[in-house]
Amino acid sequence: MPTSVLPALVVDRPRAVPGPLASAVYGNPSRDMDVYGVTGTNGKTSVAYLIDAALTGGHRTTGLITGVVVRGPRSNCPGLLTTPEAPSLQETLASFRDQGVDAVAFEASSHGLAYGRVDGTYLRAGVFTNLSPDHLDFHPNMDEYFRVKASLFRAERCRLGVVNIDDAYGSRLAAQIGIEMVSVSTADPAADFFAAEVRAHALGTSFTLHSPYGRFTVNLQLLGSKQADNALSAIAAVAATGNDIVSAIRGVEALSGIPGRLEPIDAGQPFLAFVDYMHNAAGQRTVFPFLRSLTSRRVIAVIGATGNRDPGKRFPLGFNAAGMADIVIVTDESPHSEDPAELRAPVVAGARAARAAHVFEQPGRAAAIELAVDFAEKGDVVVLAGRGHSPTLVSGERNQPFDDRAVVREAILRRTSPSTQLPAG
């Protein structure tokens, strides 16, 4: 309702106004820096971190805006949304500019794009990682989901597109994009930036980069073959915008980890333990094969489904996990307003439908993590999936501090000495 106290403007599309207005109020900060936006279903956080690392390798002064952290030279705070609301995004960009930042990497989620949070922000480069079924409670279908993601690459908003053409929707974007573009691929040698001889092992990931600037060996500390795709996109974005590629490679090689992305937990136990954000079937299909490659014994997975999110993901989450792990423990994530038992039910049904793994339903995430650790024997791999770095569990109006990384470490340390010496047989 219009107010009698302050002037009020009534507009047809309120979400379209705050971004450009806030940008103008703060002096159009994105025009004073090189801003890199990353969109896609999976890999946004990793690519943003890798772009930040690549730029840092070239001695750029950087800012980083992700769902994990919002970080500048003189500021560091937890990320609250994957993409902040438009006024907050412009305020952060202006703050970075005032701190001397000259390059920023941020995540552009489909919700952020649909709600106009990115409006008013001009990108030196946008990165498209991939697209797979997710958020279909918000988007009516995959075509609309793609349309929203592709909107990041409009000419009035973005100067350069960096597109992963290994993804079917990436190829579709590449065919219709109306701005300058470079392609990246781990499968097509004709791509502008091509990663060959990708090798993922327990200590990191390596590949040979073929680029317009030459051929290079890249050795990442990050785990999982998907990080080759992510690093490739980051290096391409930074190099194609005029930065030295050797410095960019040196920067990504120096990045030791990304919170909650195949993050190893080592408390001296005789088995491997990881925390990972994989929260959809596409993520599972990239992470589980890597985990399987690390052991000749068992993979033990703790999984669940977040409430008030796409219900179509729940059965496939269970089915895929049970098809790739040996033991699957279905438990709770953040139920929000939903009944935890009703959230678990389709995940359990999917896991049992696979008729492959041993499936257990364990209410209470701490109890499920304890159970996974109790099951683990020498040489096994344990993965806590779905939450990554998240520091809280949300149930109704209650926010409970809960960090998977801390909880699994504590569970490992509680194991008695005899049980940590289980024989390999």
Side-chain angles (χ1 to χ4, degrees):
M1 292 291 292
T3 173
S4 60
V5 180
L6 295 172
L9 300 176
V10 179
V11 296
D12 292 334
R13 296 187 301 120
R15 279 280 182 183
V17 175
L21 181 60
S23 178
V25 167
Y26 287 106
N28 300 307
S30 63
R31 296 281 181 172
D32 296 328
M33 302 174 288
D34 287 341
V35 177
Y36 299 79
V38 186
T39 199
T41 303
N42 295 321
K44 293 186 298 296
T45 300
S46 293
V47 174
Y49 266 81
L50 283 157
I51 289 173
D52 180 79
L55 291 164
T56 300
H59 304 289
R60 302 289 298 271
T61 304
T62 65
L64 180 64
I65 302 172
T66 72
V68 178
V69 70
V70 177
R71 184 180 71 205
R74 299 193 302 274
S75 59
N76 191 317
C77 60
L80 300 178
L81 293 171
T82 304
T83 307
E85 291 288 358
S88 296
L89 178 59
Q90 297 304 321
E91 180 183 21
T92 300
L93 291 172
S95 173
F96 285 167
R97 177 192 59 196
D98 296 344
Q99 293 175 48
V101 166
D102 57 34
V104 177
F106 81 102
E107 295 185 66
S109 68
S110 62
H111 286 70
L113 290 163
Y115 283 144
R117 296 173 190 168
V118 183
D119 293 357
T121 303
Y122 184 74
L123 277 61
R124 181 64 183 85
V127 177
F128 180 89
T129 61
N130 50 67
L131 200 72
S132 61
D134 206 346
H135 306 300
L136 296 181
D137 54 329
F138 181 75
H139 304 288
N141 51 57
M142 287 297 294
D143 281 343
E144 177 62 14
Y145 186 23
F146 171 73
R147 186 196 67 77
V148 171
K149 290 288 194 184
S151 72
L152 184 70
F153 301 91
R154 295 199 302 255
E156 69 271 18
R157 170 183 279 165
C158 184
R159 183 171 167 185
L160 171 73
V162 178
V163 180
N164 174 12
I165 59 172
D166 293 340
D167 180 82
Y169 285 96
S171 292
R172 180 173 164 183
L173 176 63
Q176 69 180 52
I177 199 167
I179 59 174
E180 180 186 356
M181 186 201 80
V182 295
S183 57
V184 301
S185 174
T186 60
D188 185 354
D192 297 307
F193 290 78
F194 171 57
E197 302 167 328
V198 176
R199 295 185 176 88
H201 49 84
L203 299 178
T205 309
S206 65
F207 60 92
T208 301
L209 169 62
H210 298 265
S211 79
Y213 310 99
R215 178 177 175 274
F216 306 91
T217 299
V218 181
N219 293 295
L220 304 173
Q221 299 180 59
L222 306 179
L223 301 178
S225 61
K226 200 62 183 175
Q227 293 297 4
D229 299 74
N230 296 333
L232 183 64
S233 292
I235 293 167
V238 171
T241 51
N243 299 276
D244 176 59
I245 192 169
V246 174
S247 298
I249 292 169
R250 184 167 59 241
V252 300
E253 290 181 330
L255 183 62
S256 60
I258 299 168
R261 274 62 182 177
L262 272 176
E263 185 172 352
I265 306 298
D266 185 358
Q269 75 275 11
F271 56 88
L272 297 175
F274 298 94
V275 171
D276 192 76
Y277 187 55
M278 56 171 161
H279 60 287
N280 53 40
Q284 290 177 320
R285 288 193 294 269
T286 63
V287 173
F288 275 114
F290 171 70
L291 298 176
R292 176 64 65 193
S293 75
L294 299 180
T295 182
S296 59
R297 291 185 53 80
R298 302 177 304 172
V299 174
I300 303 169
V302 176
I303 66 170
T306 300
N308 295 19
R309 300 292 187 273
D310 183 359
K313 297 196 309 182
R314 296 169 189 173
F315 186 95
L317 279 170
F319 187 85
N320 285 313
M324 293 181 275
D326 300 285
I327 297 175
V328 172
I329 302 169
V330 179
T331 189
D332 306 320
E333 294 187 5
S334 288
H336 292 277
S337 66
E338 295 195 57
D339 181 340
E342 292 182 6
L343 277 168
R344 293 191 304 270
V347 184
V348 171
R352 289 182 174 152
R355 298 184 180 276
H358 297 286
V359 179
F360 300 86
E361 180 177 5
Q362 175 60 64
R365 194 167 183 88
I369 292 172
E370 191 91 35
L371 183 60
V373 170
D374 286 345
F375 279 148
E377 299 177 357
K378 184 177 181 180
D380 288 343
V381 173
V382 173
V383 60
L384 313 184
R387 300 185 65 251
H389 68 283
S390 178
T392 57
L393 286 173
V394 182
S395 180
E397 299 298 317
R398 179 170 173 258
N399 288 358
Q400 173 193 352
F402 194 102
D403 187 321
D404 281 6
R405 299 165 294 185
V407 174
V408 70
R409 183 179 296 276
E410 291 165 2
I412 291 168
L413 292 174
R414 277 195 297 271
R415 278 179 57 139
T416 60
S417 218
S419 66
T420 64
Q421 303 298 320
L422 291 169

